[in-house]
Amino acid sequence: MATNPTFQLFSSSNDKSSSQGLGLFDSPEPPRPPPPPPVEVFSSEVSSSVAFSVDKVNIGQVTLLKGRVNTKEVFGLPNSDLVPGVYEGGLKLWEGSIDLVKALEKETQTGNVSFPRKRVLELGCGHALPGIYACLKGADAVHLQDFNAEVLRCLTIPNLNANLSEKPPSVSVGDKEVRFFAGEWSEVHQLLPLVNDGETGKKGGYDIILMAETIYSISAQKSLYELIKRCLANPNGAVYMAAKKYYFGVGGGTRQFLSMVEKDGVLASTLVSEVTDGSSNVREVWKLSYK
C-alpha cells in the first residue's frame, strides 16, 4: 500500500511527456438517452417482488453483507456490467467498493478520518458498502445516491437493512438520518438536502463524500466533479474516491479525472492506497480536499 503526499499530473506546462498515452482514452462516447428525472426513494419503497439474498464479505477486519439480485429480474436485461444511460452497473459489487472500505478502515484507525457527527454522501452507491460502513461508524447522516431508483429499491435499501440487522449491540443507528436519492449527477443536486448552492439557498454541504468506480465514463466526469463541488462542505470537507487507474475500452480513470481536478485548481489530491494484486489493472483510492 503506497502513499503520496500530493498529486500533480503535470510537473509544468511544458512537460508533455507525463501526459503521453492519455489520448488513447479520449475517443468520443455514443450519445446517451435522456436521464430519468431525479427522485427521492423512501425506505418504505423497498421491493418485495425481486428475490434478494446476501453473502458475507470480509474486508480486512470488517465483515459486511453484500446483497445479490438478478439484473434480468430487475431491469429485464441480460446480466451485464452496464448499459450507458439506462443501467449504470449498480447491481454489481465492484472491486473499488471493497478497496474503499479497506482504506476507510485504515484511515479511521490512524485518525485521518472520523465519522461521528459527520454528514456523509455516497455517490453511485449500488450496494452502498462504504456508506453502510460510515453509518456503522457513527455518522449522523448518510445519504445514498444511485443513477437508478430500481437499484435503490431492489438492492441498496435491502442491503442496508440486512447489514444494520447484523450490527453489534454496541452500535446505535436508531437516531441516524439515512436517505436515498436517484438521478443523474447533473440533476440530482436539486434534491440533495445539503448542497452548497446559492441559487437554492441551501447551505452546509457534506463533510465526507464517498464514491467507488464512478469515473469510468469520460462524458460524465465533468458533471460528477461539478456535483462534488456543490456538495462538499467548505473548508474541511473530504472526498474519498476509489477507482481504476485506467478503464480500458471505456475511457475514464483516475489519471484522466485527476488531471481535470488539478487544472480546476480548487481541490488537492492525495493518494491513500494503491492495489496491484494482479486481478485487474491498478486500482487506487484518492482523497480530495480543499487547497
Side-chain angles (χ1 to χ4, degrees), residues 219-251:
S219 64
Q221 285 186 3
K222 187 176 186 299
S223 60
L224 173 61
Y225 182 53
E226 292 302 320
L227 178 62
I228 288 170
K229 291 193 292 182
R230 281 183 164 181
C231 291
L232 189 61
N234 194 347
N236 297 319
V239 180
Y240 282 89
M241 174 186 76
K244 295 179 177 65
K245 184 176 285 189
Y246 298 116
Y247 288 90
F248 295 106
V250 184

Side-chain angles (χ1 to χ4, degrees), residues 164-241:
L164 296 187
S165 69
E166 296 287 320
K167 65 178 175 58
S170 59
V171 177
S172 174
V173 295
D175 58 345
K176 308 302 180 186
E177 179 186 287
V178 182
R179 297 173 67 177
F180 309 88
F181 301 91
E184 204 271 336
W185 288 323
S186 65
E187 298 181 348
V188 74
H189 68 277
Q190 300 169 26
L191 295 181
L192 293 174
L194 299 174
V195 174
N196 286 314
D197 191 338
E199 296 178 0
T200 62
K202 299 174 183 177
K203 299 294 181 181
Y206 292 90
D207 302 299
I208 300 171
I209 296 177
L210 307 173
M211 57 186 197
E213 310 279 13
T214 55
I215 60 171
Y216 55 86
S217 169
I218 292 177
S219 64
Q221 285 186 3
K222 187 176 186 299
S223 60
L224 173 61
Y225 182 53
E226 292 302 320
L227 178 62
I228 288 170
K229 291 193 292 182
R230 281 183 164 181
C231 291
L232 189 61
N234 194 347
N236 297 319
V239 180
Y240 282 89
M241 174 186 76

Side-chain angles (χ1 to χ4, degrees), residues 53-59 62-68 93 98 127 129 159 162-163 166-167:
S53 60
V54 297
D55 299 318
K56 286 188 176 181
V57 54
N58 296 313
I59 308 173
V62 178
T63 300
L64 295 174
L65 300 177
K66 60 174 182 178
R68 187 186 300 275
L93 181 60
I98 305 295
H127 286 76
L129 294 188
N159 201 51
N163 277 276
E166 296 287 320
K167 65 178 175 58

Side-chain angles (χ1 to χ4, degrees), residues 16-26 246 248 251 255-256:
K16 298 181 180 179
S17 62
S18 58
S19 62
Q20 288 179 351
L22 293 177
L24 295 174
F25 308 101
D26 293 339
Y246 298 116
F248 295 106
R255 291 300 178 270
Q256 226 264 345

Side-chain angles (χ1 to χ4, degrees), residues 92-110:
K92 177 177 177 178
L93 181 60
W94 299 86
E95 297 163 312
S97 294
I98 305 295
D99 297 339
L100 184 51
V101 173
K102 286 181 180 178
L104 292 173
E105 176 71 358
K106 183 174 181 180
E107 290 283 277
T108 300
Q109 292 174 349
T110 57

